[in-house]
Amino acid sequence: MKQPAIQESSDCTFGITLISSNPVLRRGLHMILKGSPFVSHIAEVAIGSQAVEIVVREKPQVIVLDLELADADTSALIKALLAAAADLHILVLSGLNDVTLTRGALAAGAEGVVLTMQPPAVLLAAIESLCGGVPRSMGSRPGQSATCPSGDK
């Protein structure tokens, strides 16, 4: 059973782990995310076989996973990550030609997909949406509570 979304408020931040074997993609994602007010820390993983260990140690709330990970079966990795930390929210980055990988990732437990050709604002909005917040450009939902995961204020 999926954990409830993290409810975002103005003083709530959470950790993100970027998993990609592409150093340029990791650096670009890091630069996009580091200025975001809802990101408390960012960890990077270059090797799929190290991902579970790093996620258990870093305890992020969000994973951004590149489906073109060179050394791992991404569907199996998603299952392993969720087995190690069931409250994770996993967002995958996919190219236009990754239909089979994307479907496999969603079937394995990923909660969302962002195409690599989309602008950074789409990635940020997807992360906020996964975590229960409403992207700032969309306003707030009626009745939305504003709580943080324990220890993440």
Side-chain angles (χ1 to χ4, degrees):
M1 180 185 210
K2 212 44 169 159
Q3 294 292 322
I6 302 165
Q7 297 295 319
E8 187 248 343
S9 71
S10 61
D11 64 344
C12 182
T13 61
F14 49 87
I16 295 179
T17 296
L18 308 172
I19 304 174
S20 176
S21 53
N22 181 330
V24 174
L25 181 62
R26 283 193 322 274
R27 174 53 65 201
L29 291 170
H30 195 111
M31 291 175 65
I32 290 166
L33 294 169
K34 75 178 181 180
S36 177
F38 58 81
V39 177
S40 62
H41 64 279
I42 304 168
E44 296 183 22
V45 180
I47 301 170
S49 60
Q50 296 175 345
V52 172
E53 175 187 335
I54 292 171
V55 164
V56 167
R57 183 181 68 230
E58 296 291 325
K59 297 179 181 15
Q61 288 79 29
V62 177
I63 301 289
V64 177
L65 173 63
D66 179 8
L67 283 183
E68 296 180 14
L69 197 58
D71 71 330
D73 172 345
T74 51
S75 292
L77 179 57
I78 290 167
K79 290 176 184 175
L81 289 166
L82 291 171
D87 58 343
L88 283 175
H89 297 277
I90 300 176
L91 180 70
V92 295
L93 297 176
S94 177
L96 289 174
N97 297 325
D98 296 336
V99 174
T100 302
L101 286 175
T102 301
R103 287 182 180 154
L106 291 169
E111 294 179 65
V113 179
V114 172
L115 296 176
T116 53
M117 64 181 275
Q118 292 178 301
V122 173
L123 174 66
L124 294 171
I127 292 169
E128 283 187 275
S129 176
L130 273 180
C131 294
V134 175
R136 283 162 177 67
S137 62
M138 297 175 67
S140 59
R141 287 182 269 195
Q144 179 181 358
S145 63
T147 60
C148 291
S150 60
D152 282 341
K153 287 190 176 182

